[in-house]
Amino acid sequence: MRLLKVATCNLNQWAMDFECNLKNIKESIRQAKEAGAVIRLGPELEITGYGCQDHFLELDTVNHAWECLKDILLGDWTDGILCSIGMPIIKGSERYNCQVLCLDRKIIMIRPKLWLANDGNYRELRWFTAWKSKDLMDFQLPNEISEALQQKSVPFGYGFLQFLDTAVAVEVCEELFTPIPPHAELALNGVEVFMNASGSHHQLRKLDLRLRAIVGATHTRGGVYMYSNFQGCDGGRLYFDGCSSVVVNGELVAKGSQFSLKEIEVVFAQVDLDAVASLRGYISSFQEQSSCKTRVPSVLVQHALCQPFDPKIALSSPLKMQNIYHSPEEEIAYGPACWLWDYLRRSGASGFLLPLSGGADSSSVAAIVGCMCQLVVKDIAKGDEQVKIDAIRIGNYTNGQYPTDSKEFAKRIFYTVYMATENSSEVTRKRAKILADEVGSWHIDVSIDTVVSALISLFQTLTGKQPRYKVDGGSNVENLGLQNIQARIRMVISFMLASLMPWVHNKPGFYLVLGSSNVDEALRGYFTKYDCSSADINPIGSVSKTDLRTFLKWAAINLGYPSLTEIEAALPTAELEPMRSNYSQLDEVDMGMTYEELSVFGRLRKIFRCGPVSMFKNLCYTWGTRLSPIEIADKVKFFFKHYSINRHKMTVLTPSYHAESYSPDDNRFDQRQFLYNTKWPFQFGKVDELVKGLNGRKVALLGPNEHEKSGGMGVVGARAADPKAGH
């Protein structure tokens, strides 16, 4: 037996906070050494933090990373342990995303990233160059580093470390997911241990894709695959969801948490490398391909990592895969809750303020804040000193007190406000109050009619005209204008209360205003620009209405907020128009489409990259059994018309927790123009031609006995209604 103990970790780093990041790196190394690990792997770009973005273009950022690495290497941190540490490095004129491999106070190799992530939320090619050579080159260390370490140069490039008893190599994040990943070639060259330093964010239902890739890396070729990731909000819309793992021969043997308030979580595995050699020796095709492999350069390290057989050392056993996944409802609760906590404690704010309407969206946000408070109290009870320190400061506790009850903590850091107008109902007012009591927030109930009336009076004075609601005989323009006045006043009042209410109650600091518009409403543009959707941050801005409704059912039971059951069952309404015996404002009627249809449009538009013509064709398969071609065409044209009319709203969309793959967020993720010809004359003309050519005929679908229930729809058509699409 060749026994090897490895350590990988979840680190809650913060972009550009070198002091915080260095402290976390050192503590993770300390824990790894204390447990007897001989390899320690950290996340990608862990010294700087992943989310530095254009700060990577600054020489200071690279220089500070070198200063932090020097600090580590001048101490005893790397004595007897191989450490893979991520940082940006400039070689010549190019900037690379690198893993620096250190042992015994020396740098033994620098591995630049070969394939850069450059889609979705990622723009690595903006800041880094991909390493294109298959060789190792000599890299002259910066003078200050060279003098401090008494080391002039180091091998730089693509290769692996050949120790006396095994071979170890690096694979950086995106490289795992490429068509021909480096680990395939490295395995044929005898590499037994792979270290993947990653920066992977949370997205609903995404974890399965990631774990399948990690498991698959060694399933047919053997090996120990280590995976490290960030965990937390490092300064932007993304929540990095941990799950640092160790896989042996396709079996998951260790995994860290996905959602946590911890700064550092180190995951250990004790493995036998002879199991890797045995599997490879058994697979005939592996032997054949290895015999004619392309040689990968290596660096010889005169050091042994493994221990011989020792019955006192227990080996890590496979975990049950079915027990490691959270449900989507749990993901919506815990992911945004942890993101909110990081944002709150790092922003310097003293709490949150939420306009609570009693509807599904704002109630979901209230429940998530309540979940955050519960997590804080639980972690303090478990002995997490950092969470305790942060909670005492944010909650303004004195005399040795600290949070022991989530509702009491919520009362200190969470304001909710119901802003009623003459169009609001007693039902939603009551729902908001009951939920606020269940969560524990400091709740305010206020009528804003006098403010709305003052603005309308001002308009009358200026123009001599009095706008009316549609139900009272007004035009669509008047009706919309009157609704928007109410909505925008709520935004102004929210920010006023967030800045002044802490002062009123003799609390330090300010409150962050939380938004509560969902991803489907953003896609359709079904919200008022600069209304309550305009906030500091939004924890549900990338979550679909369908997922939020299932979350409310779950939270009613699992978070202990039973009033959410009634809120979920209610029909969504903005309550911005007067109610009459024969008229009640409903969201889906206003939008001209259902939330379920919006999700389908969103997936086809973003995930499957469909314009109006492609969308029509695919929906003929998806909806062809219940709608005629002309009905489908009308829905497609209606969607694109209103999507393009409202696209400008995405430019000011409140920064939202990223959770959904069809998010229309204009910041990096969904970059498109915001001024359209909303008539789409060429595209809609093509759709009309197709409808005319079909002459009322529907597309051919397989019968129920010929295929699955989605038979005949094709990949795009079948997946358009699948929440897992795009993962």
Side-chain angles (χ1 to χ4, degrees), residues 625-639:
T625 56
R626 61 183 180 86
L627 296 175
S628 68
I630 194 168
E631 290 173 320
I632 295 171
D634 287 344
K635 284 182 177 292
V636 169
K637 289 189 282 187
F638 187 81
F639 165 72

Side-chain angles (χ1 to χ4, degrees), residues 4 37 43 61 64 68 74 140 196 311 331 334 360 397 406 478 498 528 623 653 663 665 670 676 723:
L4 180 74
T61 304
H64 294 334
C68 291
L74 289 180
Q140 299 297 314
N196 187 308
E331 291 185 77
Y334 301 136
Y397 288 89
S406 64
E478 295 170 73
T528 301
W623 293 342
L653 198 66
S663 169
D665 189 339
D670 188 47
Y676 283 88

